[in-house]
Amino acid sequence: MVFDRVLLPKEGEKIDFTPEGQLQVPSCPIIPFIEGDGIGVDITPVMRRVVDAAVEKAYLGQRKIAWMEVYAGEKAAKKYGDTHFLPEETLQVLQAYPVAIKGPLMTPVSGGMRSLNVALRQKLDLYVCLRPIRYFPGTPSPVKHPEKVDMVIFRENSEDIYAGIEFPARTEAAQKIIQFLEKELGVSQIRFPESSAIGIKPISQAGTERLVRKAIEYAIEQEKDSVTLVHKGNIMKFTEGGFKSWGYALARTEFGAVPLEGEGEWHYFLHPKTGKRIIIKDVIADAFLQQILLRPEEYSVIATMNLNGDYISDALAAQVGGIGIAPGANLGDKVAIFEATHGTAPRHAGKNSANPSSLLLSAEMLLRHIGWHEAAELVVQGILHAIGTGKVTGDFARLMPEVKALSTAEFGESIIAGFSDE
């Protein structure tokens, strides 16, 4: 396969799929990466260095990653032209090479797409935003017991208000929709129709089912004890309420869930191998934001819609030290893109001071995704060792007494030094 501006590595093979849809990973897979804007220039090289070292140590040279750079954001505009922040070639590469990783991307200020991250998710139908949230001992936290937080969020990526269907106030389009709602459907709740902007919030049964299915399958695979549907169905009866109802219905029809006596709408089913109960429950979104502070240990796998998931994932990340240490992935039925979950922090770009932990832990997720668990464990061991011994970047060091801040590159080396021989 030949591309225009993307250079194929001299070695390495493409990851493929079996007839059953399982990944076929060669010993030297080609992994596309997007460096990212802002601090991407600092954290992405460190991520690659740590991952390469972990793979080398885990497999003694029998496996390695062939990195292939593809372009999005400011670097893409320089290569493809001023307005090409997400080139078609990049999308083609990411479809052809289905496991990739990316640094943070800027949002173009003028015209075009509103968010490169949202555009990637929509164009490649990456409908799951997967956000595992856990605590690394020693990380500064604003709560007393951050170790009680251990959740995995399945956030729906393709629907809700993030679908981008909205119209500015006082435009012809907005007025047409308002008039249709008032005259054809009898809507009278728009308080100031002359000056209202209008947005449409699509939530579908099909979109709900594929997300909740992934969440329940994950709970089974990882032997988790519950899946919680987080919604605002008490107010938005047919969109967020539909999400809740469709989620329960899928649990019944595909996983054999039955009502849990004495617990209202809650359901449960037995794990097909262990026989243990997996509970399917739901919580109103605002109550859930309280619960994750008061009783986080009661929640495990979370399935929710786009906007709720945005709030929840960042709120949970704050409890364990901030989004600087929170990894993420965007998953479709075949394509998987792992990503730093924070912004570009342009003021810190090129200063070799940013915390690369979010991208490193996203790379750890990537390694598990391709079945290289031994290398993934080394990355986790290294981060635990670095933070536990006070070898951290400035964002953590300023909150830790008598700890001297390391540079981004030094932090990466301290992680590698912490790889265990066990």
Side-chain angles (χ1 to χ4, degrees):
M1 186 174 291
V2 178
F3 297 105
D4 182 17
R5 291 173 173 81
V6 172
L7 296 178
L8 282 170
K10 294 179 180 179
E11 57 182 340
E13 300 174 65
K14 179 181 171 184
I15 293 175
D16 215 332
F17 294 89
T18 67
E20 296 75 31
Q22 301 299 311
L23 285 178
Q24 282 185 316
V25 181
S27 59
C28 184
I30 295 173
I31 303 292
F33 74 94
I34 296 171
E35 181 181 78
D37 298 317
I39 58 172
V41 70
D42 301 303
I43 64 175
T44 298
V46 171
M47 177 275 294
R48 291 175 57 192
R49 163 85 174 118
V50 171
V51 169
D52 287 344
V55 171
E56 171 63 30
K57 185 173 181 66
Y59 308 114
L60 303 176
Q62 297 302 304
R63 299 179 187 178
K64 66 183 297 186
I65 289 174
W67 299 101
M68 176 171 64
E69 185 169 12
V70 296
Y71 305 97
E74 293 175 339
K75 208 166 183 179
K78 291 176 182 176
K79 265 200 174 291
Y80 293 85
D82 289 345
T83 60
H84 293 81
F85 295 105
L86 184 58
E88 187 61 33
E89 184 172 67
T90 294
L91 297 173
Q92 291 171 359
V93 173
L94 296 175
Q95 287 174 318
Y97 295 85
V99 179
I101 190 164
K102 58 176 278 296
L105 290 174
M106 49 81 79
T107 296
V109 175
S110 58
M113 59 197 67
R114 297 184 304 172
S115 165
L116 294 176
N117 293 314
V118 171
L120 266 173
R121 295 165 187 167
Q122 291 178 340
K123 289 179 181 292
L124 297 173
D125 196 24
L126 306 176
Y127 59 89
V128 174
C129 180
L130 183 64
R131 294 282 298 271
I133 309 289
R134 58 171 289 190
Y135 179 67
F136 286 81
T139 305
S141 166
V143 299
K144 287 184 177 180
H145 294 288
E147 73 281 357
K148 292 182 178 181
V149 176
D150 186 7
M151 298 183 215
V152 179
I153 302 158
F154 282 73
R155 170 190 172 196
E156 207 289 322
N157 252 347
S158 65
E159 297 190 311
D160 201 357
I161 63 171
Y162 275 64
I165 308 169
E166 60 175 349
F167 305 92
R170 297 187 176 89
T171 60
E172 182 181 358
Q175 288 303 308
K176 280 185 177 180
I177 293 170
I178 291 169
Q179 289 170 16
F180 174 79
L181 291 171
E182 291 179 335
K183 294 178 180 179
E184 300 294 327
L185 300 181
V187 171
S188 60
Q189 299 98 315
I190 302 175
R191 182 66 183 87
F192 302 105
E194 296 82 8
S195 61
S196 289
I198 288 291
I200 297 176
K201 175 189 176 79
I203 303 289
S204 70
Q205 181 177 354
T208 298
E209 287 178 346
R210 65 181 185 173
L211 178 86
V212 174
R213 182 182 297 114
K214 286 281 191 184
I216 296 176
E217 288 172 349
Y218 179 90
I220 294 170
E221 291 165 6
Q222 301 298 319
E223 298 186 14
K224 302 294 185 180
D225 61 4
S226 68
V227 176
T228 304
L229 309 173
V230 180
H231 61 91
K232 191 64 178 169
N234 58 325
I235 302 299
M236 290 169 277
K237 308 287 187 183
F238 306 116
T239 50
E240 306 227 357
F243 178 87
K244 180 193 79 168
S245 300
W246 294 323
Y248 275 126
L250 177 113
R252 289 192 297 270
T253 57
E254 295 192 12
F255 298 92
V258 295
L260 184 61
E261 188 174 348
E263 294 292 349
E265 295 184 82
W266 291 15
H267 284 56
Y268 78 95
F269 66 94
L270 301 181
H271 191 286
K273 291 184 179 178
T274 68
K276 294 181 179 179
R277 278 186 177 186
I278 297 178
I279 295 173
I280 311 297
K281 54 187 176 179
D282 74 278
V283 181
I284 300 298
D286 45 343
F288 185 71
L289 287 168
Q290 176 179 243
Q291 292 294 305
I292 61 176
L293 285 170
L294 299 177
R295 298 201 293 257
E297 68 274 15
E298 295 183 7
Y299 299 95
S300 178
V301 179
I302 311 302
T304 189
M305 288 148 290
N306 213 324
L307 184 61
N308 292 335
D310 200 358
Y311 298 149
I312 291 164
S313 55
D314 280 11
L316 280 170
Q319 292 180 224
V320 299
I323 57 175
I325 198 167
N330 296 292
L331 311 174
D333 289 327
K334 289 195 172 181
V335 177
I337 300 178
F338 299 82
E339 66 176 358
T341 60
H342 52 70
T344 59
R347 288 193 301 113
H348 300 284
K351 296 181 179 179
N352 193 24
S353 62
N355 186 346
S357 296
S358 175
L359 191 60
L360 281 166
L361 289 168
S362 298
E364 181 258 341
M365 292 173 67
L366 183 155
L367 290 168
R368 294 192 189 281
H369 184 73
I370 64 174
W372 292 13
H373 298 283
E374 298 86 355
E377 282 299 326
L378 286 175
V379 174
V380 171
Q381 285 176 8
I383 292 175
L384 282 167
H385 178 268
I387 295 174
T389 55
K391 297 173 181 175
V392 295
T393 49
D395 55 330
F396 286 174
R398 64 186 175 84
L399 301 172
M400 301 167 71
E402 300 181 6
V403 169
K404 181 182 177 182
L406 299 184
S407 70
T408 308
E410 288 171 337
F411 180 61
E413 294 305 314
S414 72
I415 291 170
I416 294 170
F419 290 170
S420 170
D421 290 318
E422 297 178 3

